[in-house]
Amino acid sequence: MSNYYNRQWRLPNNENKDKQSNYSMDFDGSNDKIIVDTSVNNVLTTGNEPFSFSIWFNVDSVSNNYNEFFGYGQPGVGLSGVRIYGGVFKHNSVSGIYGSDLNSTTVIQTGQWYHGAVTFDGTTRKIYVDGVLENSDTPNLAILPSASYPLTIGVYPSRTKYTYGKIDAACFFDYALSQSQITTLYGSSSTGIGNP
C-alpha cells in the first residue's frame, strides 16, 4: 500500500519557488564555518595536480572584505580556495608568501545567485561565472593540505575571514571539470540547477 504525502507540508508555501534558496547555507560573516574532517586531506590536490571547485553563492556584501567560500592549506606554506574579493569571484592560491590569484570579470552584486567554478588541468587554470569562461592562466601552484587547516567551508583556512551570505552545492573535485560539466552544474532557466 502506498502513502500520499501532502507536498505543501514538505515545503510549505514554497513548493515551486527558488529551490536554491530553500536549501542553501546562510553564513553571518563573523563565526559560521564547517570544518571538514582531516581525513579528506588524502584526496586534496597538492602541487600541480588537477582540481576543480564549484559553488553557488549569494553574498550580502561585495566590499573589499573577504567572502571566503572554502579553501584548504596552511598560511605561509600553501593555500587554495575560492572567494569574493574586490567585487569579483576569484581562485586564491598562495605558494609560500606569494599569491597567484585568478579573477573573474563579472562584477558580483549583492542579493543575487551566481555559480562560480575554477578548474586546473595540471597546466591551465580557468575561472567561470554562470557557466561562462571568464579568465585563464598557467600558474605554478604548490598547495599543501594541512591537518591544522583542513578543508573548510565558510571561512579562509587561517580562520579569520568569513563568508557573509549564502552558499550552496560547494564541491571539490580532484580532476579538471570540462566545459560541458560546468554547463551541467550551472544548469539553465529551463532545466534548473544542475546536479553536482
Side-chain angles (χ1 to χ4, degrees), residues 25-42:
M25 298 174 283
D26 200 353
F27 293 82
D28 66 8
S30 65
N31 60 8
D32 292 339
K33 63 181 177 259
I34 298 168
I35 301 172
V36 181
D37 188 272
T38 57
S39 64
V40 78
N41 282 355
N42 296 332

Side-chain angles (χ1 to χ4, degrees), residues 100-102 120 123-126 135-139:
S100 178
D101 293 350
L102 181 63
F120 179 65
T123 303
T124 304
R125 179 173 55 165
K126 299 176 181 179
N135 206 349
S136 65
D137 66 0
T138 54

Side-chain angles (χ1 to χ4, degrees), residues 74-80 91-101 125 139-143 156:
Q74 183 174 353
V77 178
L79 299 169
S80 183
H91 176 250
N92 171 247
S93 177
V94 177
S95 177
I97 60 172
Y98 299 103
S100 178
D101 293 350
R125 179 173 55 165
N140 183 19
L141 305 176
I143 308 306
Y156 195 64

